[in-house]
CSV table of all heavy atoms in Angstrom, one decimal:
chain,number,residue,atom,x,y,z
M,897,MET,N,16.1,2.2,-0.1
M,897,MET,CA,16.7,1.7,1.2
M,897,MET,C,16.9,0.2,1.3
M,897,MET,O,17.9,-0.3,1.8
M,897,MET,CB,15.7,2.2,2.3
M,897,MET,CG,15.7,3.7,2.5
M,897,MET,SD,14.3,4.2,3.6
M,897,MET,CE,14.9,3.7,5.2
M,898,LEU,N,16.0,-0.5,0.7
M,898,LEU,CA,16.1,-2.0,0.7
M,898,LEU,C,17.4,-2.3,-0.1
M,898,LEU,O,18.2,-3.2,0.3
M,898,LEU,CB,14.9,-2.6,0.0
M,898,LEU,CG,13.7,-2.8,0.9
M,898,LEU,CD1,12.5,-3.2,0.0
M,898,LEU,CD2,13.9,-3.8,2.0
M,899,ALA,N,17.6,-1.6,-1.2
M,899,ALA,CA,18.8,-1.9,-2.1
M,899,ALA,C,20.1,-1.6,-1.4
M,899,ALA,O,21.0,-2.4,-1.3
M,899,ALA,CB,18.7,-1.1,-3.4
M,900,ARG,N,20.2,-0.4,-0.8
M,900,ARG,CA,21.4,0.1,-0.2
M,900,ARG,C,21.7,-0.5,1.1
M,900,ARG,O,22.9,-0.9,1.4
M,900,ARG,CB,21.4,1.6,-0.1
M,900,ARG,CG,21.5,2.4,-1.4
M,900,ARG,CD,21.7,3.9,-1.2
M,900,ARG,NE,20.6,4.4,-0.3
M,900,ARG,CZ,19.4,4.8,-0.8
M,900,ARG,NH1,19.2,4.8,-2.1
M,900,ARG,NH2,18.5,5.3,0.1
M,901,GLU,N,20.7,-0.6,2.0
M,901,GLU,CA,20.9,-1.0,3.4
M,901,GLU,C,20.8,-2.5,3.6
M,901,GLU,O,21.2,-2.9,4.7
M,901,GLU,CB,20.0,-0.2,4.3
M,901,GLU,CG,20.2,1.3,4.2
M,901,GLU,CD,19.2,2.1,5.0
M,901,GLU,OE1,18.5,1.5,5.9
M,901,GLU,OE2,19.0,3.3,4.8
M,902,PHE,N,20.3,-3.2,2.7
M,902,PHE,CA,20.2,-4.7,2.9
M,902,PHE,C,20.8,-5.5,1.8
M,902,PHE,O,20.4,-6.6,1.5
M,902,PHE,CB,18.7,-5.0,3.0
M,902,PHE,CG,18.0,-4.4,4.2
M,902,PHE,CD1,17.4,-3.2,4.2
M,902,PHE,CD2,18.1,-5.0,5.5
M,902,PHE,CE1,16.8,-2.6,5.3
M,902,PHE,CE2,17.6,-4.4,6.6
M,902,PHE,CZ,16.9,-3.2,6.5
M,903,GLY,N,21.8,-4.9,1.1
M,903,GLY,CA,22.6,-5.6,0.1
M,903,GLY,C,21.8,-6.1,-1.1
M,903,GLY,O,22.1,-7.2,-1.6
M,904,GLN,N,20.8,-5.4,-1.5
M,904,GLN,CA,20.0,-5.8,-2.7
M,904,GLN,C,20.3,-5.0,-4.0
M,904,GLN,O,19.6,-5.1,-4.9
M,904,GLN,CB,18.5,-5.7,-2.4
M,904,GLN,CG,18.1,-6.6,-1.2
M,904,GLN,CD,16.6,-6.5,-1.0
M,904,GLN,OE1,15.8,-5.8,-1.6
M,904,GLN,NE2,16.1,-7.3,0.0
M,905,GLN,N,21.4,-4.2,-4.0
M,905,GLN,CA,21.7,-3.5,-5.2
M,905,GLN,C,22.1,-4.4,-6.3
M,905,GLN,O,22.8,-5.4,-6.0
M,905,GLN,CB,22.9,-2.5,-4.9
M,905,GLN,CG,22.5,-1.4,-4.0
M,905,GLN,CD,23.6,-0.4,-3.7
M,905,GLN,OE1,24.7,-0.8,-3.3
M,905,GLN,NE2,23.4,0.9,-3.8
M,906,SER,N,21.7,-4.1,-7.5
M,906,SER,CA,22.0,-5.0,-8.6
M,906,SER,C,22.0,-4.1,-9.9
M,906,SER,O,21.4,-3.0,-9.9
M,906,SER,CB,21.1,-6.1,-8.8
M,906,SER,OG,19.7,-5.6,-9.1
M,907,LYS,N,22.6,-4.6,-11.0
M,907,LYS,CA,22.6,-3.9,-12.2
M,907,LYS,C,21.1,-3.9,-12.8
M,907,LYS,O,20.7,-2.8,-13.3
M,907,LYS,CB,23.5,-4.6,-13.3
M,907,LYS,CG,25.0,-4.5,-12.9
M,907,LYS,CD,25.8,-5.2,-13.9
M,907,LYS,CE,27.3,-5.1,-13.5
M,907,LYS,NZ,28.2,-5.8,-14.4
M,908,LEU,N,20.4,-5.0,-12.6
M,908,LEU,CA,19.0,-5.0,-13.0
M,908,LEU,C,18.2,-3.9,-12.2
M,908,LEU,O,17.4,-3.2,-12.8
M,908,LEU,CB,18.4,-6.4,-12.8
M,908,LEU,CG,16.8,-6.5,-13.1
M,908,LEU,CD1,16.5,-6.1,-14.5
M,908,LEU,CD2,16.4,-7.9,-12.7
M,909,GLY,N,18.5,-3.8,-10.9
M,909,GLY,CA,17.8,-2.9,-10.1
M,909,GLY,C,18.0,-1.5,-10.5
M,909,GLY,O,17.1,-0.6,-10.5
M,910,ALA,N,19.3,-1.2,-11.0
M,910,ALA,CA,19.6,0.2,-11.5
M,910,ALA,C,18.8,0.5,-12.7
M,910,ALA,O,18.3,1.6,-12.8
M,910,ALA,CB,21.1,0.3,-11.8
M,911,TYR,N,18.7,-0.4,-13.6
M,911,TYR,CA,17.9,-0.2,-14.8
M,911,TYR,C,16.4,0.0,-14.4
M,911,TYR,O,15.7,0.9,-14.9
M,911,TYR,CB,18.0,-1.5,-15.7
M,911,TYR,CG,19.1,-1.4,-16.7
M,911,TYR,CD1,20.2,-2.2,-16.6
M,911,TYR,CD2,19.1,-0.6,-17.8
M,911,TYR,CE1,21.3,-2.2,-17.5
M,911,TYR,CE2,20.1,-0.5,-18.8
M,911,TYR,CZ,21.2,-1.3,-18.6
M,911,TYR,OH,22.2,-1.3,-19.5
M,912,LEU,N,15.9,-0.9,-13.6
M,912,LEU,CA,14.5,-0.8,-13.2
M,912,LEU,C,14.2,0.5,-12.5
M,912,LEU,O,13.1,1.2,-12.7
M,912,LEU,CB,14.1,-2.0,-12.3
M,912,LEU,CG,14.0,-3.3,-12.9
M,912,LEU,CD1,13.7,-4.4,-11.8
M,912,LEU,CD2,13.0,-3.4,-14.0
M,913,ASN,N,15.1,1.0,-11.6
M,913,ASN,CA,14.9,2.2,-10.9
M,913,ASN,C,14.7,3.4,-11.8
M,913,ASN,O,13.8,4.2,-11.6
M,913,ASN,CB,16.0,2.4,-9.9
M,913,ASN,CG,15.8,3.6,-9.0
M,913,ASN,OD1,14.8,3.6,-8.3
M,913,ASN,ND2,16.7,4.5,-8.9
M,914,GLU,N,15.5,3.5,-12.8
M,914,GLU,CA,15.5,4.6,-13.7
M,914,GLU,C,14.3,4.5,-14.7
M,914,GLU,O,13.5,5.4,-14.9
M,914,GLU,CB,16.8,4.8,-14.5
M,914,GLU,CG,18.0,5.1,-13.6
M,914,GLU,CD,17.9,6.5,-12.9
M,914,GLU,OE1,17.0,7.3,-13.3
M,914,GLU,OE2,18.7,6.7,-12.0
M,915,LEU,N,14.2,3.3,-15.3
M,915,LEU,CA,13.2,3.1,-16.4
M,915,LEU,C,11.7,3.2,-15.8
M,915,LEU,O,10.8,3.8,-16.4
M,915,LEU,CB,13.4,1.8,-17.1
M,915,LEU,CG,14.6,1.7,-18.0
M,915,LEU,CD1,14.8,0.3,-18.5
M,915,LEU,CD2,14.5,2.7,-19.1
M,916,CYS,N,11.5,2.5,-14.6
M,916,CYS,CA,10.2,2.5,-14.1
M,916,CYS,C,9.7,3.9,-13.6
M,916,CYS,O,8.5,4.2,-13.8
M,916,CYS,CB,10.2,1.5,-12.9
M,916,CYS,SG,10.2,-0.2,-13.4
Side-chain angles (χ1 to χ4, degrees):
M897 293 169 71
L898 283 171
R900 288 188 305 274
E901 299 178 14
F902 295 95
Q904 295 182 3
Q905 289 180 312
S906 66
K907 293 179 181 178
L908 174 60
Y911 273 106
L912 290 177
N913 190 54
E914 297 293 347
L915 291 173
C916 287

